[in-house]
């Protein structure tokens, strides 16, 4: 039950963007956090790519026909023991999306070049239970669906996987 896959959707616009979701506040795990579409592997999924595509379809209505899978990033293990396979894919601009209102509060895009600029990657050290923990964040000042300025705080596993994407693209 701890195997998960997420889709890292790169949207083919004039300036490529990364599609992210903000989870609704009432979910039991990671409420209100920014994440990639994705979730738990089900027995009928052939592989991690199938999981990522199925979950992206359930969460944001992204149809597999609008997606071209490029490959997978290194598996990421979260602090809570989830083993996550990030599946990187190109998504056609103008792909029709319908967010599941129960799980997804908002779908938004951030320019890939901005996320891949290491000067935007901030390291934080916090002490939890007497232990020094480090985490990465990539805050993004964007606009919400209504066109209002809004600060999105990307951190945790999502920021770490974006950092792995950065290493992958920079290599």
């Amino acid at each position: 039950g701890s195997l998960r896959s997420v889709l890292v959707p790169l949207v083919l616009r004039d300036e490529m963007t990364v599609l992210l979701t903000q989870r609704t506040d009432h979910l039991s795990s990671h409420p209100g956090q920014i994440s990639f579409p994705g979730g738990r592997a089900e027995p009928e999924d052939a592989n991690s790519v199938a999981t990522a595509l199925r979950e992206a379809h359930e969460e944001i209505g992204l149809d597999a026909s609008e997606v071209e899978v490029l490959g997978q990033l290194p598996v990421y293990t979260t602090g809570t023991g989830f083993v996550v396979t990030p599946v990187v894919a190109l998504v056609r601009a103008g792909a029709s999306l319908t967010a599941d209102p129960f799980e997804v509060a908002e779908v938004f895009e951030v320019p890939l070049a901005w996320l891949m600029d290491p000067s935007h990657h901030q390291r934080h050290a916090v002490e939890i239970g007497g232990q020094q923990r480090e985490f990465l964040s990539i805050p993004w000042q964007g606009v919400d669906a209504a066109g209002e300025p809004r600060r999105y705080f990307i951190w945790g596993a999502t920021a770490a996987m974006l950092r792995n994407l950065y290493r992958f693209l920079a290599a």
Side-chain angles (χ1 to χ4, degrees):
S2 62
L3 286 181
R4 298 180 173 238
S5 287
V6 295
L7 194 68
V8 180
L10 306 179
V11 185
L12 291 163
R13 304 193 179 280
D14 294 340
E15 182 185 14
M16 201 179 267
T17 62
V18 178
L19 189 136
L20 292 161
T21 68
Q22 177 137 29
R23 295 165 63 79
T24 47
D25 285 332
H26 60 83
L27 293 175
S28 57
S29 70
H30 308 296
Q33 279 191 22
I34 289 167
S35 60
F36 295 114
R40 204 168 42 230
E42 300 292 348
E44 71 271 14
D45 296 336
N47 51 35
S48 48
V49 171
T51 299
L53 291 174
R54 178 183 52 72
E55 285 282 343
H57 188 256
E58 288 172 16
E59 284 182 23
I60 60 170
L62 180 62
D63 197 270
S65 64
E66 317 237 37
V67 176
E68 184 190 337
V69 173
L70 294 180
Q72 297 173 16
L73 291 172
V75 167
Y76 181 80
T77 304
T78 68
T80 46
F82 289 114
V83 179
V84 184
T85 302
V87 175
V88 182
L90 297 175
V91 177
R92 202 171 56 80
S96 106
L97 300 179
T98 317
D100 171 0
F102 181 78
E103 284 193 52
V104 178
E106 188 182 351
V107 179
F108 64 100
E109 293 174 35
V110 181
L112 177 66
W114 196 92
L115 289 170
M116 294 299 105
D117 181 340
S119 71
H120 298 145
H121 303 174
Q122 299 180 5
R123 294 203 172 278
H124 308 260
V126 286
E127 202 171 287
I128 305 172
Q131 274 196 312
Q132 186 83 341
R133 290 276 187 93
E134 281 204 359
F135 73 93
L136 181 72
S137 78
I138 313 176
W140 157 246
Q141 185 66 47
V143 288
D144 65 16
E148 295 296 315
R150 165 124 187 257
R151 189 166 178 270
Y152 296 91
F153 191 66
I154 304 166
W155 70 285
T158 302
M161 288 186 268
L162 283 165
R163 179 79 185 172
N164 284 342
L165 176 65
Y166 163 72
R167 289 199 187 106
F168 177 76
L169 292 175

